Amino acid sequence: MPYKLLERVLGVEKRETVAVAWSFAYFFCVLSSYYMLRPIREMLGVASGVTTVPVLFTSTFLAMIAATTIFGWVASKFPRRVFLPWVYAFFVLNILFFYGAFLWAEASATDFVWIGRVFFVWISIFNLFVVSVFWSFMADIYTREQGRRLFGVISAGGSIGALAGPAVTIHLVDIIGFERLLPLSAALLLGSIVCIGRLRRWVERAQAKDVAETAAAPKPLGGSAFAGMTHVFRSRYFIAISVVSVLASLLGTALYMFMNALVGETIADADARTKLFAYLDLGTGMLTVVFQLLVVRHAVRKLGLGMTFALMPLLSVVGFALLAVHPTLLFVAVLQALRRAVGFGFSKPANDMLYSVVTPEEKYKAKNFIDTAVYRAGDLVGTWTIRAVWGLGMTGIALALLPFAILWVLIALWLGREYRRRARSGRTIEEQRKHDERALEST
């Protein structure tokens, strides 16, 4: 009876229950760890000042290029079952390092602005890497058909984590201070390593015949450290996903800078700012969970992947048009929360489904390059662009961004059609790559 209920309501079949449960827990650990730290990042960003945001994002982009290259080398030399746990162990050690740095600054009465700026850059790399690696792993262990049914449910694990993280921050930041939240975040991230081990064993049992092609494979992916970049530039499919990522970053960065400026003008206390951002994350997470658990699976089935993917840019078109009329802190906060809820609830699962029709190497390297370096390149373009036109005011900037939101809608719909074509064509991966290269040359 419980299995039938799970299948009817959530689309989870009996044979998938264990794997989905561990995937759910894995994403919960990753995002609860990050969202416990996210309000701290926002507080430190405000403390640094809105004029430093472009510099921070430039530093993040440069650091991301280096990190992506190192990740590509690691993925080429070591099996997935080896490097996946070490990615998370590395970030656990990083969190503990910053914990010690903040405690030292507190004990010595040292201004932590520069530690905060380094932390801002680091966490902007951390959040993209841990999530990108997670979804590469999911696309690796589940089939395309399973992804359409299960990615929304699995995403809800992260969204519940995104609720738990800020909830803990809200209740503890006034009691213990923001610095002492870091060890709790590190402990949660350690839980993700346990989940990886359990999922790897499930893959070895459930996909024993095809283990050489899964995340349990004993061999590394091979290829070069720069394969993620080369795969992207050789395929119209990946180029389109990259353009969508840049457009999403451009609009999201504009809202981030609006929020940064408005909060800096109205709220002075660091802990109060941290609590405000935590409340926004909490509200966003609650709405996202509803979308992921109950709506996204039906949306993909009835609307199609392309239209589901286009929901966030459609909301952006409407939202930025209204923002031009109501450039207030309340409206910016509501719009940012809604866009993030729709993004995590619909666009992110749909985006991750796009990688179910590519090779294992592309799932890790091309996806990681797009989710990290390309995304941060969008932040870089966005911050410097918005800073350059800051004199237009929020109304002028919102109107100027409307055409980019419309372009985003059109590319999302094209990606949906291309995904269906790839899924139905029956081409081998090598044939698909050659087709992409010929199509790119012809354009």
Side-chain angles (χ1 to χ4, degrees), residues 303-380:
L303 299 178
L305 189 67
M307 192 62 203
T308 303
F309 197 31
L311 290 176
M312 187 177 175
L314 285 170
L315 173 63
S316 299
V317 171
V318 176
F320 274 81
L322 293 175
L323 177 60
V325 182
H326 300 285
T328 63
L329 175 59
L330 177 61
F331 188 83
V332 170
V334 170
L335 178 58
Q336 190 174 43
L338 282 175
R339 284 183 76 256
R340 290 179 57 219
V342 172
F344 290 130
F346 295 100
S347 296
K348 189 65 175 74
N351 179 78
D352 294 315
M353 291 175 197
L354 294 173
Y355 292 94
S356 61
V357 291
V358 302
T359 68
E361 185 182 12
E362 289 167 338
K363 286 173 186 174
Y364 283 91
K365 294 184 180 180
K367 186 179 191 307
N368 182 265
F369 179 75
I370 293 171
D371 288 352
T372 57
V374 172
Y375 186 89
R376 287 308 178 204
D379 288 340
L380 184 65

Side-chain angles (χ1 to χ4, degrees), residues 146-369:
Q146 286 175 315
R148 291 171 69 90
R149 287 188 293 106
L150 303 177
F151 278 10
V153 177
I154 293 169
S155 295
S159 297
I160 293 174
L163 290 173
V168 170
T169 299
I170 288 168
H171 286 93
L172 293 183
V173 68
D174 290 332
I175 301 171
I176 64 175
F178 74 86
E179 304 94 337
R180 292 167 183 82
L181 293 170
L182 273 70
L184 299 177
S185 172
L188 284 165
L189 199 59
L190 278 174
S192 66
I193 299 176
V194 176
C195 297
I196 290 172
R198 295 291 185 175
L199 283 166
R200 192 181 68 203
R201 283 192 282 275
W202 176 82
V203 170
E204 290 170 348
R205 291 195 307 270
Q207 303 180 31
K209 293 181 181 179
D210 303 313
V211 73
E213 299 299 325
T214 69
K219 295 182 179 180
L221 292 169
S224 74
F226 302 97
M229 188 184 307
T230 56
H231 282 314
V232 169
F233 292 135
R234 289 192 320 207
S235 167
R236 287 194 303 175
Y237 190 63
F238 288 136
I239 289 174
I241 297 174
S242 300
V243 172
V244 163
S245 179
V246 171
L247 292 173
S249 295
L250 175 63
L251 273 67
T253 300
L255 280 179
Y256 176 82
M257 293 182 70
F258 293 165
M259 191 77 179
N260 188 297
L262 291 168
V263 170
E265 292 171 2
T266 56
I267 302 174
D269 182 67
D271 286 341
R273 290 173 178 173
T274 302
K275 187 177 287 189
L276 168 65
F277 288 118
Y279 271 119
L280 285 175
D281 288 341
L282 190 63
T284 300
M286 292 174 67
L287 191 57
T288 302
V289 169
V290 174
F291 290 156
Q292 290 171 338
L293 278 177
L294 303 176
V295 184
V296 66
R297 179 168 62 95
H298 302 290
V300 171
R301 189 175 72 246
K302 294 185 177 181
L303 299 178
L305 189 67
M307 192 62 203
T308 303
F309 197 31
L311 290 176
M312 187 177 175
L314 285 170
L315 173 63
S316 299
V317 171
V318 176
F320 274 81
L322 293 175
L323 177 60
V325 182
H326 300 285
T328 63
L329 175 59
L330 177 61
F331 188 83
V332 170
V334 170
L335 178 58
Q336 190 174 43
L338 282 175
R339 284 183 76 256
R340 290 179 57 219
V342 172
F344 290 130
F346 295 100
S347 296
K348 189 65 175 74
N351 179 78
D352 294 315
M353 291 175 197
L354 294 173
Y355 292 94
S356 61
V357 291
V358 302
T359 68
E361 185 182 12
E362 289 167 338
K363 286 173 186 174
Y364 283 91
K365 294 184 180 180
K367 186 179 191 307
N368 182 265
F369 179 75

Side-chain angles (χ1 to χ4, degrees), residues 37-80:
L37 303 179
R38 178 184 159 86
I40 299 174
R41 184 196 79 160
E42 308 298 15
M43 176 272 292
L44 293 171
V46 172
S48 184
V50 69
T51 57
T52 65
V53 170
V55 177
L56 291 174
F57 276 102
T58 302
S59 302
T60 300
F61 173 71
L62 295 174
M64 188 69 80
I65 292 293
T68 302
T69 304
I70 294 170
F71 178 80
W73 178 84
V74 170
S76 300
K77 300 297 181 183
F78 299 94
R80 284 162 276 180

